[in-house]
Amino acid sequence: MRYLPLTDTDRLDMLARIGVPDIDALFSDVPADRLLKAPLDLPRAKGEIEVERIMGRMAGRNVAASSVPFFVGAGAYKHHVPATVDHLIQRSEFLTSYTPYQPEIAQGTLQYLFEFQTQVAALTGMDVANASMYDGSTGTGEAVLMAHRVTKRRKAVLSGGLHPHYAAVVNTISEMASDTVVALPPDVTASEDILAQIDDETSCVVVQSPDVFGNLRDLRPIAAKAQAHGALLIAVFTEVMSLGAVTSPGEQGADIVVGEGQSIGNALNFGGPYVGLFAAKTKYLRQMPGRLCGETVDADGQRGFVLTLSTREQHIRRDKATSNICTNSGLCCLAFTIHMTLLGQAGLERVAEVNHANAVKLADMLSEVKGAQVLNETFFNEFTVRLGKPAAEVVEALAQKGVLGGVPVSRLLPDAGLDDLLIVANTEVNTDEDRAAFVAALAEVLA
Amino acid sequence: MLNRQGRPTTPGHTAAESHPTFTGNRALQQIEPLIFEIGHHETTGVDLDAPAPFKARLGKHARTDGIGLPGLSEPEAMRHYVRLSQKNYGIDTGLFPLGSCTMKHNARLNEKMARLPGFSDVHPLQPLSTVAGALAVMQELARYLMTLTGMPAVSLSPKAGAHGELCGMMAIKAAIAAKGEGETRKVVLVPESAHGTNPATAALIGFIVKSVPARADGTVAVEDVKALLGPDVAAIMLTNPNTCGIFEPQIVEIAAAMHEAGAYFYCDGANYNAIVGKAKPGDLGVDAMHINLHKTFSTPHGGGGPGSGPVVLSERLAPYAPVPFIHLENGEPRLIETIADAPDGNAPFGRITAFHGQMGMYVRALTYMLSHGSDGMKQASEDAVLNANYIRAGLSDLMSLPFPDHPSMHEALFDDEWLKGTGVTTLDFAKAMIDEGYHPMTVYFPLVVHGAMLVEPTESESKASLDLFIATLRDLAMAAKGNDKSRFTGAPHHAPLRRLDETRAARQPVLKWVAPLPIAEAAE
């Protein structure tokens, strides 16, 4: 077995040194009738050639985004990631290291976490950011729990523009913790009256921009109303690249900002692993979940970094911790910070501009298609189209023609009566040929 | 200065630098500034043409201010991150005996498979007709996990171990509510030796945590559990093998007692790697157990994540598994994404993450399982246990064992009794190991043992590697006992940095880089 260095001779020598007759003597605490005698009903070990063949066959049964005109978004986005990123995150010292509990031999990880926190704080326009969450959706759940701790209230108001999966995550954790959630109905055109929902019992208002339908939302009036009632504004995004083009949530008065960072540095991966971004105002620092990296000095006075404020965390506070979270999204957060470093603000602004330009182009083209109507007044790189037919059927027909044409709203909200709506994303990777192929195929399907 | 774990956090005395250099660098060890100190706002390492003029649709939301982040050209970025990487210790650097964390070899085949475009370049919401292979991976991984554990169901979507605990405890809460006992069964029993995530998880969803005392031999006694049982108890969260590295001898009796009292048995599966192919949690009476794919099935730890924590479930809990899950229909896997779509007999408690969980980790773990096979996985468990006991046998005459009466499983636990009177602490000892080229073992955990040192070598070490490790620790132990304090209290001497001041970091938190003031302003 190529992964196991011990030889049979080694094993015998070692058992003798330990002073036991056989390996099962070391398993003597396992009740004898529960110790497995027969091998499990699973195949035996395989060499690399055979494993590659099996896995390759399964991979071959999926359609890869880059192999077709691709317009699928709604929370995860196909972007170009520079080759440098994947090379660097596979450096052994990054890939095979652990949580930096021994900072003297983990400065590589700690310094990039510090750089990451600085980048996320700048992007979101917030004071402090943590060293990442599992993903945007779980981060949103954590943000709501944090708002409850800060305000000592337990009612969250969710915008109808919040990604339905994110809303479901918040609903699930709230139900389990016996907290209250007021979830507004799906709001396709960003016309809901969320201000009317904010009262003196509200702990937080959760608003996504760009929202799941692609609309950009003005957070300022919501921040003002929330503040007047002692509630927090939690601003959510699923497309971090939008922050290169639109006003940051911090600038608009958000108290907590949480979002999905996958678009920068990370592949689609069929939904994970991704990287949750989480930032807040300094005054809420001690209620934040997750790891924080801070600057300090070593015994010689040299600058260095450590994990800090861990008295918030489960390994010290146990049942009084701010969260049960233990890991962050280490390597995905490294991929994010390397890609973000390559971009810089100049590169991010440029790629955001290209995303927006491409999306505007596609929206204009789709508006010309008979039976298709773009609903958004504003958007970044994603918008919603009303079709004359059930969108799920249209998407399936498009797939048959070799075009992956977006996400039917019914996939996310099966019972909302929004079956004719399609969410379409368009990034820097889409070409004029992709758009032409999409529009032509859609015209055929709708005809 | 001690932190809350009783660890000293202030630096020791300063050793004189013998041969200072102009740069402060020491050959391959380079001082690396932050990107904010080397980059420029106008620099970018990504070339992309500006779009043709167009009419923006951002409304009044267009960003007007600069973000304030520098960029680096590609060569600068490459050098920056390579230099940072050289300040890190990884499994590929050397023996990484971090107890409870299972730092086993990360096969690069697994990385290669996860990067096949058919896995990495697939969107979670593209039409299901275009992802048959992804669903097959999920189904195959589920089958392996259920077969290995002897459990009838699995929820794949938890993003990490603690998230898996949350998922399992939510399933228990849902099952209790379905029986109409939601208002009465509020107590969760957690042994003192448990991972901190256990009580944190239970408290997060409204359970009241009650502590189960540890017995003098490091195990949990069924009588102690029974004494706490009543109609108010919802579940026990028990790690097995436990955090002291011992297989709980009375686990079957404890499970039976829980079931008899109408409660559930949550098993923390962080240490499942010791018993894969040797015992099935399903045979032990477990109702729910998370499996850290990043421990047992070797998906890389990546400096602290991403993890993946699927939860296997008993017959009693299976109906409550959250969406999404795979349902077999005529032998074909179907993805159930919404509660409304759940087949009869299922009552999902909700959703715990967007999309379908850590697909990239599923691919790596399945690759590990296919490579090892049933025989290799069993051998890996046996070798992990053999290696831990070999280290224990090699050190037990010099270092003290708190629980000598039980064999160790995959990790050997020492306490600091043997360091008494030497002036050397567990932390000092750990830091001295760094100078010898080793990552320290887990220290000060589990909390039930004073000055704990938890050594988990894993199956990835050769006998020669273990022999050198044992010899090194013996040398260090003799030095500690021989009053050679300087080797310990100032350690590490040879790491990229010396001991760091954690107290200062927590007292005046500096959590991001801030541009220094121009000299004139700073003087005001």
Side-chain angles (χ1 to χ4, degrees):
Chain A
M1 204 320 77
R2 61 191 175 278
Y3 300 132
L4 302 176
L6 296 186
T7 65
D8 282 343
T9 316
D10 289 336
R11 292 183 182 111
L12 290 174
D13 289 350
M14 291 164 73
L15 287 169
R17 172 74 185 82
I18 296 164
V20 291
D22 55 33
I23 188 72
D24 280 348
L26 296 174
F27 287 85
S28 58
D29 278 334
V30 181
D33 58 342
R34 311 294 156 109
L35 195 65
L36 296 173
K37 305 291 185 292
L40 291 165
D41 182 24
L42 291 169
R44 292 177 62 81
K46 293 176 178 29
E48 278 206 13
I49 298 173
E50 204 178 336
V51 175
E52 278 202 40
R53 201 176 287 141
I54 294 169
M55 295 306 291
R57 253 198 314 262
M58 286 198 272
R61 294 176 64 202
N62 300 322
V63 177
S66 42
S67 67
V68 288
F70 186 86
F71 300 90
V72 187
Y77 302 89
K78 169 71 186 164
H79 288 289
H80 176 73
V81 178
T84 305
V85 174
D86 199 44
H87 172 83
L88 283 169
I89 68 168
Q90 287 192 79
R91 293 270 310 181
S92 279
E93 303 91 328
F94 287 136
L95 185 77
T96 74
S97 60
Y98 193 70
T99 302
Y101 289 138
Q102 297 290 344
E104 298 86 355
I105 46 173
Q107 285 299 304
T109 298
L110 286 158
Q111 184 166 333
Y112 84 62
L113 290 179
F114 188 79
E115 294 174 348
F116 170 84
Q117 288 175 182
T118 306
Q119 288 173 331
V120 174
L123 279 172
T124 54
M126 300 300 284
D127 300 329
V128 284
N130 74 9
S132 80
M133 310 298 286
Y134 305 137
D135 67 3
S137 67
T138 55
T140 303
E142 292 279 358
V144 169
L145 295 176
M146 173 175 159
H148 294 346
R149 290 193 297 273
V150 168
T151 61
K152 307 210 164 50
R153 302 175 187 173
R154 303 177 73 171
K155 186 174 91 177
V157 175
L158 310 186
S159 158
L162 182 63
H163 193 292
H165 285 181
Y166 286 47
V169 170
V170 172
N171 267 316
T172 299
I173 186 80
S174 300
E175 195 178 305
M176 287 286 169
S178 308
D179 298 333
T180 307
V181 173
V182 179
L184 274 69
D187 181 30
V188 181
T189 52
S191 49
E192 68 191 2
D193 184 8
I194 200 164
L195 297 182
Q197 300 296 328
I198 304 170
D199 58 29
D200 289 342
E201 266 141 48
T202 308
S203 135
C204 57
V205 198
V206 185
V207 186
Q208 181 180 325
S209 181
D211 67 21
V212 70
F213 303 104
N215 308 295
L216 297 168
R217 295 190 175 226
D218 189 358
L219 303 178
R220 288 186 181 89
I222 308 171
K225 180 92 191 268
Q227 196 180 13
H229 286 271
L232 304 191
L233 170 60
I234 299 174
V236 176
F237 56 84
T238 60
E239 174 50 297
V240 62
M241 223 161 241
S242 66
L243 297 177
V246 305
T247 313
S248 74
E251 175 96 17
Q252 300 182 63
D255 295 287
I256 302 172
V257 179
V258 58
E260 179 52 65
Q262 171 267 330
S263 285
I264 297 184
N266 287 278
L268 288 168
N269 286 327
F270 197 54
Y274 290 169
V275 51
L277 311 182
F278 196 108
K281 290 179 174 166
T282 300
K283 60 180 166 181
Y284 306 130
L285 173 61
R286 291 188 192 259
Q287 292 300 336
M288 276 176 85
R291 288 182 188 150
L292 289 164
C293 171
E295 185 183 313
T296 189
V297 292
D298 78 351
D300 291 337
Q302 296 240 49
R303 177 172 71 187
F305 305 93
V306 293
L307 292 183
T308 191
L309 299 177
S310 57
T311 49
R312 301 163 298 116
E313 291 186 81
Q314 48 75 27
H315 62 279
I316 300 195
R317 293 277 284 172
R318 299 178 77 84
D319 57 323
K320 307 282 190 302
T322 54
S323 163
N324 78 331
I325 202 161
C326 188
T327 48
N328 66 347
S329 208
L331 216 58
C332 301
C333 148
L334 174 63
F336 178 100
T337 195
I338 296 171
H339 191 181
M340 190 59 235
T341 296
L342 283 165
L343 286 167
Q345 70 174 35
L348 183 69
E349 283 166 10
R350 172 62 60 82
V351 71
E353 189 187 5
V354 174
N355 270 259
H356 187 47
N358 280 351
V360 168
K361 239 190 246 182
L362 180 64
D364 289 345
M365 290 166 77
L366 287 173
S367 298
E368 301 293 308
V369 175
K370 199 164 167 245
Q373 181 198 356
V374 175
L375 299 181
N376 298 56
E377 211 168 287
T378 60
F379 58 86
F380 169 61
N381 69 354
E382 187 167 37
F383 49 81
T384 300
V385 187
R386 173 162 282 142
L387 305 170
K389 287 182 175 176
E393 286 169 26
V394 172
V395 163
E396 201 51 57
L398 288 171
Q400 298 302 322
K401 292 175 182 294
V403 174
L404 296 186
V407 179
V409 170
S410 59
R411 175 102 184 248
L412 299 168
L413 293 164
D415 306 318
L418 300 172
D419 293 2
D420 57 347
L421 300 186
L422 180 69
I423 301 170
V424 177
N426 194 330
T427 74
E428 77 281 4
V429 301
N430 296 110
T431 62
D432 285 336
E433 289 75 30
D434 289 343
R435 283 182 283 275
F438 182 19
V439 170
L442 184 67
E444 278 177 42
V445 171
L446 291 180
Chain B
M1 182 61 63
L2 301 178
N3 72 8
R4 288 186 182 221
Q5 292 163 294
R7 281 192 286 150
T9 59
T10 37
H13 71 88
T14 304
E17 185 72 36
S18 48
H19 296 287
T21 57
F22 171 73
T23 53
N25 296 334
R26 280 169 288 165
L28 291 179
Q29 280 304 337
Q30 313 240 357
I31 292 171
E32 183 60 16
L34 293 159
I35 50 172
F36 315 105
E37 295 160 341
I38 46 181
H40 301 282
H41 287 180
E42 64 273 24
T43 303
T44 179
V46 180
D47 293 330
L48 199 57
D49 288 336
F54 69 103
K55 194 165 169 290
R57 302 273 299 263
L58 298 172
K60 58 186 174 182
H61 305 284
R63 195 185 251 280
T64 48
D65 56 334
I67 301 164
L69 286 176
L72 296 183
S73 65
E74 185 171 313
E76 291 171 299
M78 188 63 90
R79 191 169 288 165
H80 176 71
Y81 290 104
V82 167
R83 284 178 171 182
L84 288 190
S85 76
Q86 290 171 326
K87 298 173 195 292
N88 259 13
Y89 193 101
I91 301 168
D92 296 345
T93 314
L95 207 165
F96 207 130
L98 203 60
S100 193
C101 301
T102 312
M103 303 301 284
K104 63 168 75 178
H105 174 64
N106 298 148
R108 292 314 194 274
L109 176 65
N110 310 357
E111 294 303 305
K112 184 177 174 187
M113 294 301 97
R115 284 169 172 80
L116 293 174
F119 294 135
S120 66
D121 196 24
V122 179
H123 192 287
L125 296 177
Q126 68 187 58
L128 291 170
S129 59
T130 65
V131 295
L135 300 186
V137 166
M138 292 171 77
Q139 172 56 26
E140 191 66 352
L141 178 71
R143 184 174 75 89
Y144 266 79
L145 292 174
M146 291 187 292
T147 306
L148 289 169
T149 57
M151 302 281 279
V154 61
S155 171
L156 292 178
S157 61
K159 295 278 193 177
H163 205 221
E165 287 177 28
L166 188 61
C167 179
M169 292 307 289
M170 283 179 166
I172 288 172
K173 188 152 183 167
I176 288 171
K179 286 195 287 187
E181 298 179 339
E183 293 307 311
T184 46
R185 289 195 186 269
K186 292 274 193 190
V187 171
V188 170
L189 307 179
V190 180
E192 287 171 339
S193 58
H195 295 112
T197 49
N198 294 175
T201 299
L204 191 64
I205 53 173
F207 284 118
I208 299 153
V209 176
K210 254 192 204 168
S211 201
V212 185
R215 258 197 310 202
D217 72 348
T219 66
V220 174
V222 66
E223 304 84 62
D224 292 341
V225 173
K226 278 184 177 163
L228 294 166
L229 282 178
D232 59 335
V233 174
I236 189 169
M237 296 181 84
L238 186 65
T239 308
N240 187 55
N242 70 23
T243 58
C244 303
I246 302 169
F247 190 98
E248 288 287 354
Q250 294 191 310
I251 187 164
V252 174
E253 290 84 351
I254 292 171
M258 296 309 295
H259 294 157
E260 206 169 296
Y264 294 86
F265 175 14
Y266 185 88
C267 183
D268 181 330
N271 294 337
Y272 176 56
N273 60 304
I275 58 167
V276 179
K278 298 294 290 182
K280 292 179 181 175
D283 292 345
L284 304 172
V286 168
D287 288 303
M289 181 182 89
H290 74 267
I291 298 165
N292 305 80
L293 296 186
H294 48 285
K295 295 179 180 175
T296 302
F297 299 108
S298 103
T299 70
H301 284 81
S308 183
V311 179
V312 287
L313 298 167
S314 66
E315 207 75 64
R316 305 198 297 157
L317 293 181
Y320 305 102
V323 291
F325 57 86
I326 297 276
H327 177 69
L328 279 185
E329 250 175 37
N330 306 320
E332 283 300 307
R334 184 161 83 85
L335 187 68
I336 309 296
E337 290 183 281
T338 58
I339 293 173
D341 194 29
D344 285 348
N346 287 276
F349 68 70
R351 173 182 274 281
I352 58 170
T353 180
F355 312 128
H356 327 307
Q358 308 284 62
M359 179 65 178
M361 300 297 134
Y362 304 162
V363 173
R364 289 172 175 87
L366 184 59
T367 306
Y368 171 99
M369 291 168 165
L370 290 173
S371 295
H372 281 76
S374 60
D375 47 337
M377 285 190 273
K378 179 179 178 213
Q379 188 68 60
S381 299
E382 292 183 350
D383 285 0
V385 170
L386 183 63
N387 283 355
N389 282 282
Y390 186 66
I391 288 175
R392 170 172 157 166
L395 296 173
S396 57
D397 59 325
L398 282 176
M399 294 167 62
S400 45
L401 292 169
F403 309 121
D405 299 341
H406 294 273
S408 295
M409 297 303 289
H410 60 300
E411 52 196 0
L413 177 63
F414 300 91
D415 61 20
D416 64 357
E417 183 66 27
W418 65 282
L419 282 171
K420 259 194 186 155
T422 61
V424 174
T425 65
T426 290
L427 187 72
D428 296 332
F429 191 79
K431 297 299 185 194
M433 284 172 66
I434 292 175
D435 282 334
E436 298 293 344
Y438 289 109
H439 195 284
M441 65 285 267
T442 292
V443 290
Y444 301 102
F445 180 85
L447 307 173
V448 289
V449 168
H450 200 270
M453 303 180 207
L454 188 61
V455 183
E456 179 179 7
T458 82
E459 69 274 18
S460 306
E461 297 303 321
S462 68
K463 181 167 177 294
S465 164
L466 297 173
D467 285 336
L468 181 59
F469 180 71
I470 292 167
T472 308
L473 259 61
R474 290 189 70 83
D475 184 74
L476 281 172
M478 309 268 257
K481 291 182 182 192
N483 281 323
D484 186 4
K485 268 180 69 176
S486 66
R487 204 166 150 192
F488 299 93
T489 49
H493 298 94
H494 304 298
L497 287 184
R498 308 257 333 281
R499 219 177 285 192
L500 287 133
D501 189 343
E502 293 182 31
T503 309
R504 171 177 161 145
R507 284 226 176 117
Q508 308 141 353
V510 178
L511 305 173
K512 66 176 182 183
W513 181 81
V514 178
L517 289 175
I519 291 165
E521 270 176 60
E524 280 169 20

